[in-house]
Amino acid sequence: SAVISQKPSRDICQRGTSLTIQCQVDSQVTMMFWYRQQPGQSLTLIATANQGSEATYESGFVIDKFPISRPNLTFSTLTVSNMSPEDSSIYLCSVSGYDEQYFGPGTRLTVT
Amino acid sequence: GESVGLHLPTLSVQEGDNSIINCAYSNSASDYFIWYKQESGKGPQFIIDIRSNMNKRQGQRVTVLLNKTVKHLSLQIAATQPGDSAVYFCAEKEYNQGGKLIFGQGTELSVKP
């Protein structure tokens, strides 16, 4: 299984600002995913980030709001832009082989 | 914005009893299913998986059952322990949809000592 770390683990941000979340994996992986988990809810896929191509966003998520970088096979960033209180969530990085999929510990974001 | 409180289905069991957590999935074309355990403040942890060409798979103290006819998945935990208390999610994947995993609602399991 892959070991995934995320930075920061939590943050409190003011509305209108942006936060960049980093995801580091201990092995090279082709497929990386970013999920959002709102309080008391399940996980919702934001986008798929494969190295060497633009991220693919799910319905309801746009690049201007959640720009993603994937510079190599072990690292990705997700930026939450122009934040509002509705963006308060846990943001999770995930990596996948053909079948199994593993998650980082998450970044708990609170927007005031 | 409006504050959304916790409203996951809950299951409360006595320590030592068996637990059954159910999940209805939506996509009849899904090829692969995973059960995850999520403890407070942590990311989802892989428990067990099953491919669509199987109807049962067993792990250590856990069994997953798949009924494709009614699009139903269940997780059975034998001899439930207090450390099993967590939120459990099922997730489905369709291989020709870019490998993305779609999550179900989740169930909160509470184990009483």
Short mmCIF file of all heavy atoms in Angstrom, two decimals, chain B residues 49-82:
data_model
loop_
_atom_site.label_atom_id
_atom_site.label_comp_id
_atom_site.label_asym_id
_atom_site.label_seq_id
_atom_site.Cartn_x
_atom_site.Cartn_y
_atom_site.Cartn_z
N ASP B 49 -12.11 -5.53 -0.32
CA ASP B 49 -12.66 -5.21 -1.63
C ASP B 49 -13.25 -6.46 -2.26
O ASP B 49 -13.05 -7.58 -1.81
CB ASP B 49 -11.58 -4.60 -2.54
CG ASP B 49 -10.39 -5.52 -2.76
OD1 ASP B 49 -10.34 -6.62 -2.16
OD2 ASP B 49 -9.47 -5.13 -3.51
N ILE B 50 -14.00 -6.24 -3.35
CA ILE B 50 -14.58 -7.36 -4.09
C ILE B 50 -14.81 -6.93 -5.52
O ILE B 50 -15.22 -5.78 -5.78
CB ILE B 50 -15.90 -7.85 -3.42
CG1 ILE B 50 -16.37 -9.15 -4.07
CG2 ILE B 50 -16.98 -6.77 -3.47
CD1 ILE B 50 -17.48 -9.84 -3.28
N ARG B 51 -14.54 -7.83 -6.44
CA ARG B 51 -14.81 -7.54 -7.84
C ARG B 51 -16.22 -8.01 -8.20
O ARG B 51 -16.79 -8.88 -7.53
CB ARG B 51 -13.77 -8.21 -8.73
CG ARG B 51 -12.40 -7.60 -8.57
CD ARG B 51 -11.43 -8.14 -9.59
NE ARG B 51 -10.13 -7.48 -9.47
CZ ARG B 51 -9.09 -7.78 -10.23
NH1 ARG B 51 -9.19 -8.70 -11.16
NH2 ARG B 51 -7.95 -7.15 -10.05
N SER B 52 -16.73 -7.48 -9.28
CA SER B 52 -18.13 -7.75 -9.63
C SER B 52 -18.37 -9.18 -10.09
O SER B 52 -19.52 -9.61 -10.19
CB SER B 52 -18.59 -6.77 -10.73
OG SER B 52 -17.80 -6.93 -11.88
N ASN B 53 -17.31 -9.93 -10.37
CA ASN B 53 -17.49 -11.32 -10.78
C ASN B 53 -17.52 -12.29 -9.58
O ASN B 53 -17.50 -13.49 -9.74
CB ASN B 53 -16.41 -11.75 -11.76
CG ASN B 53 -15.02 -11.66 -11.17
OD1 ASN B 53 -14.83 -11.17 -10.05
ND2 ASN B 53 -14.03 -12.13 -11.92
N MET B 54 -17.54 -11.69 -8.38
CA MET B 54 -17.62 -12.49 -7.16
C MET B 54 -18.87 -12.07 -6.40
O MET B 54 -19.39 -10.96 -6.59
CB MET B 54 -16.39 -12.25 -6.28
CG MET B 54 -15.07 -12.54 -6.99
SD MET B 54 -13.66 -11.98 -6.01
CE MET B 54 -13.75 -13.12 -4.62
N ASN B 55 -19.34 -12.93 -5.48
CA ASN B 55 -20.46 -12.52 -4.63
C ASN B 55 -20.10 -12.56 -3.15
O ASN B 55 -20.88 -12.12 -2.31
CB ASN B 55 -21.72 -13.35 -4.90
CG ASN B 55 -21.44 -14.84 -4.82
OD1 ASN B 55 -20.60 -15.27 -4.05
ND2 ASN B 55 -22.14 -15.61 -5.63
N LYS B 56 -18.90 -13.05 -2.83
CA LYS B 56 -18.50 -13.11 -1.42
C LYS B 56 -16.99 -13.10 -1.35
O LYS B 56 -16.32 -13.74 -2.17
CB LYS B 56 -19.06 -14.36 -0.77
CG LYS B 56 -18.72 -14.53 0.70
CD LYS B 56 -19.35 -15.80 1.27
CE LYS B 56 -19.01 -15.98 2.74
NZ LYS B 56 -19.65 -17.23 3.29
N ARG B 57 -16.49 -12.38 -0.33
CA ARG B 57 -15.06 -12.40 -0.09
C ARG B 57 -14.84 -12.24 1.41
O ARG B 57 -15.49 -11.40 2.05
CB ARG B 57 -14.36 -11.28 -0.85
CG ARG B 57 -12.86 -11.40 -0.81
CD ARG B 57 -12.19 -10.61 -1.91
NE ARG B 57 -10.76 -10.93 -1.94
CZ ARG B 57 -9.80 -10.02 -1.98
NH1 ARG B 57 -10.10 -8.74 -2.02
NH2 ARG B 57 -8.55 -10.40 -1.99
N GLN B 58 -13.91 -13.01 1.93
CA GLN B 58 -13.67 -12.98 3.38
C GLN B 58 -12.28 -12.48 3.69
O GLN B 58 -11.31 -12.78 3.00
CB GLN B 58 -13.86 -14.38 3.98
CG GLN B 58 -15.31 -14.82 3.99
CD GLN B 58 -15.49 -16.18 4.66
OE1 GLN B 58 -15.12 -17.19 4.12
NE2 GLN B 58 -16.08 -16.17 5.85
N GLY B 59 -12.20 -11.71 4.77
CA GLY B 59 -10.92 -11.28 5.30
C GLY B 59 -10.84 -11.68 6.77
O GLY B 59 -11.57 -12.56 7.22
N GLN B 60 -9.97 -10.99 7.47
CA GLN B 60 -9.86 -11.30 8.89
C GLN B 60 -11.01 -10.62 9.63
O GLN B 60 -11.08 -9.40 9.69
CB GLN B 60 -8.52 -10.79 9.41
CG GLN B 60 -8.24 -11.18 10.85
CD GLN B 60 -6.88 -10.70 11.32
OE1 GLN B 60 -6.27 -9.84 10.69
NE2 GLN B 60 -6.39 -11.24 12.41
N ARG B 61 -11.93 -11.38 10.14
CA ARG B 61 -13.12 -10.91 10.88
C ARG B 61 -14.11 -10.15 10.02
O ARG B 61 -15.15 -9.69 10.49
CB ARG B 61 -12.75 -10.00 12.08
CG ARG B 61 -12.34 -10.71 13.32
CD ARG B 61 -12.54 -9.86 14.58
NE ARG B 61 -11.94 -8.54 14.50
CZ ARG B 61 -12.64 -7.41 14.63
NH1 ARG B 61 -13.95 -7.44 14.82
NH2 ARG B 61 -12.03 -6.23 14.57
N VAL B 62 -13.83 -9.94 8.76
CA VAL B 62 -14.76 -9.23 7.89
C VAL B 62 -15.11 -10.06 6.66
O VAL B 62 -14.28 -10.84 6.17
CB VAL B 62 -14.20 -7.86 7.44
CG1 VAL B 62 -14.05 -6.91 8.62
CG2 VAL B 62 -12.89 -8.01 6.70
N THR B 63 -16.35 -9.90 6.22
CA THR B 63 -16.84 -10.55 5.01
C THR B 63 -17.63 -9.53 4.21
O THR B 63 -18.43 -8.78 4.79
CB THR B 63 -17.76 -11.74 5.36
OG1 THR B 63 -17.02 -12.68 6.14
CG2 THR B 63 -18.27 -12.43 4.09
N VAL B 64 -17.40 -9.49 2.92
CA VAL B 64 -18.19 -8.63 2.05
C VAL B 64 -19.05 -9.51 1.15
O VAL B 64 -18.58 -10.50 0.61
CB VAL B 64 -17.31 -7.66 1.23
CG1 VAL B 64 -16.26 -8.40 0.43
CG2 VAL B 64 -18.16 -6.79 0.32
N LEU B 65 -20.32 -9.14 1.05
CA LEU B 65 -21.26 -9.83 0.18
C LEU B 65 -21.76 -8.87 -0.89
O LEU B 65 -22.06 -7.71 -0.58
CB LEU B 65 -22.45 -10.36 0.99
CG LEU B 65 -22.13 -11.38 2.08
CD1 LEU B 65 -23.42 -11.75 2.83
CD2 LEU B 65 -21.49 -12.62 1.50
N LEU B 66 -21.82 -9.35 -2.10
CA LEU B 66 -22.27 -8.53 -3.23
C LEU B 66 -23.46 -9.19 -3.91
O LEU B 66 -23.39 -10.36 -4.30
CB LEU B 66 -21.13 -8.36 -4.24
CG LEU B 66 -21.45 -7.65 -5.55
CD1 LEU B 66 -21.89 -6.21 -5.29
CD2 LEU B 66 -20.26 -7.68 -6.49
N ASN B 67 -24.54 -8.46 -4.04
CA ASN B 67 -25.73 -8.92 -4.76
C ASN B 67 -25.97 -7.95 -5.91
O ASN B 67 -26.55 -6.87 -5.73
CB ASN B 67 -26.93 -8.97 -3.82
CG ASN B 67 -28.16 -9.56 -4.49
OD1 ASN B 67 -28.33 -9.46 -5.71
ND2 ASN B 67 -29.02 -10.17 -3.71
N LYS B 68 -25.51 -8.35 -7.09
CA LYS B 68 -25.62 -7.46 -8.24
C LYS B 68 -27.05 -7.31 -8.73
O LYS B 68 -27.40 -6.31 -9.36
CB LYS B 68 -24.71 -7.96 -9.37
CG LYS B 68 -23.22 -7.90 -9.02
CD LYS B 68 -22.36 -8.34 -10.18
CE LYS B 68 -22.45 -9.81 -10.45
NZ LYS B 68 -21.90 -10.63 -9.33
N THR B 69 -27.87 -8.30 -8.45
CA THR B 69 -29.25 -8.26 -8.92
C THR B 69 -30.00 -7.06 -8.34
O THR B 69 -30.75 -6.38 -9.03
CB THR B 69 -29.98 -9.56 -8.55
OG1 THR B 69 -29.28 -10.66 -9.11
CG2 THR B 69 -31.40 -9.55 -9.06
N VAL B 70 -29.76 -6.82 -7.06
CA VAL B 70 -30.44 -5.71 -6.40
C VAL B 70 -29.48 -4.57 -6.08
O VAL B 70 -29.83 -3.64 -5.35
CB VAL B 70 -31.17 -6.18 -5.12
CG1 VAL B 70 -32.29 -7.13 -5.49
CG2 VAL B 70 -30.21 -6.85 -4.15
N LYS B 71 -28.26 -4.64 -6.60
CA LYS B 71 -27.24 -3.61 -6.40
C LYS B 71 -27.04 -3.33 -4.91
O LYS B 71 -27.17 -2.19 -4.43
CB LYS B 71 -27.59 -2.34 -7.16
CG LYS B 71 -27.51 -2.54 -8.68
CD LYS B 71 -27.62 -1.24 -9.47
CE LYS B 71 -29.04 -0.73 -9.46
NZ LYS B 71 -29.23 0.44 -10.34
N HIS B 72 -26.69 -4.38 -4.19
CA HIS B 72 -26.55 -4.29 -2.74
C HIS B 72 -25.22 -4.90 -2.31
O HIS B 72 -24.81 -5.95 -2.80
CB HIS B 72 -27.73 -5.02 -2.07
CG HIS B 72 -27.72 -4.90 -0.59
ND1 HIS B 72 -27.12 -5.85 0.22
CD2 HIS B 72 -28.22 -3.95 0.24
CE1 HIS B 72 -27.27 -5.48 1.49
NE2 HIS B 72 -27.93 -4.34 1.52
N LEU B 73 -24.61 -4.21 -1.38
CA LEU B 73 -23.31 -4.62 -0.83
C LEU B 73 -23.44 -4.63 0.69
O LEU B 73 -24.10 -3.74 1.26
CB LEU B 73 -22.27 -3.58 -1.25
CG LEU B 73 -20.80 -3.86 -1.20
CD1 LEU B 73 -20.41 -4.97 -2.17
CD2 LEU B 73 -20.03 -2.59 -1.54
N SER B 74 -22.85 -5.61 1.34
CA SER B 74 -22.87 -5.60 2.79
C SER B 74 -21.49 -5.95 3.34
O SER B 74 -20.70 -6.64 2.70
CB SER B 74 -23.92 -6.56 3.35
OG SER B 74 -23.54 -7.90 3.11
N LEU B 75 -21.23 -5.42 4.53
CA LEU B 75 -20.00 -5.71 5.26
C LEU B 75 -20.39 -6.35 6.58
O LEU B 75 -21.16 -5.77 7.34
CB LEU B 75 -19.23 -4.42 5.52
CG LEU B 75 -17.95 -4.57 6.36
CD1 LEU B 75 -16.87 -5.31 5.57
CD2 LEU B 75 -17.43 -3.20 6.81
N GLN B 76 -19.88 -7.54 6.81
CA GLN B 76 -20.13 -8.22 8.06
C GLN B 76 -18.85 -8.21 8.88
O GLN B 76 -17.79 -8.58 8.38
CB GLN B 76 -20.61 -9.65 7.80
CG GLN B 76 -21.88 -9.71 6.98
CD GLN B 76 -22.29 -11.13 6.65
OE1 GLN B 76 -21.65 -12.08 7.07
NE2 GLN B 76 -23.36 -11.28 5.91
N ILE B 77 -18.98 -7.79 10.13
CA ILE B 77 -17.84 -7.78 11.05
C ILE B 77 -18.15 -8.76 12.17
O ILE B 77 -19.16 -8.63 12.87
CB ILE B 77 -17.60 -6.37 11.64
CG1 ILE B 77 -17.41 -5.34 10.53
CG2 ILE B 77 -16.38 -6.39 12.56
CD1 ILE B 77 -17.32 -3.90 11.02
N ALA B 78 -17.31 -9.75 12.31
CA ALA B 78 -17.52 -10.77 13.35
C ALA B 78 -16.91 -10.31 14.67
O ALA B 78 -15.88 -9.62 14.70
CB ALA B 78 -16.88 -12.07 12.91
N ALA B 79 -17.58 -10.69 15.75
CA ALA B 79 -17.07 -10.40 17.10
C ALA B 79 -16.62 -8.94 17.21
O ALA B 79 -15.46 -8.65 17.48
CB ALA B 79 -15.92 -11.34 17.44
N THR B 80 -17.57 -8.04 17.00
CA THR B 80 -17.26 -6.60 16.95
C THR B 80 -16.60 -6.13 18.24
O THR B 80 -17.01 -6.50 19.34
CB THR B 80 -18.54 -5.81 16.70
OG1 THR B 80 -19.28 -6.42 15.65
CG2 THR B 80 -18.21 -4.39 16.29
N GLN B 81 -15.58 -5.29 18.07
CA GLN B 81 -14.79 -4.78 19.19
C GLN B 81 -14.95 -3.27 19.29
O GLN B 81 -15.28 -2.61 18.30
CB GLN B 81 -13.32 -5.14 18.97
CG GLN B 81 -13.07 -6.63 18.81
CD GLN B 81 -11.67 -6.92 18.29
OE1 GLN B 81 -10.87 -6.02 18.05
NE2 GLN B 81 -11.38 -8.20 18.14
N PRO B 82 -14.67 -2.69 20.46
CA PRO B 82 -14.77 -1.22 20.58
C PRO B 82 -13.91 -0.48 19.55
O PRO B 82 -14.29 0.59 19.08
CB PRO B 82 -14.27 -0.97 22.01
CG PRO B 82 -14.63 -2.22 22.75
CD PRO B 82 -14.42 -3.34 21.75
#
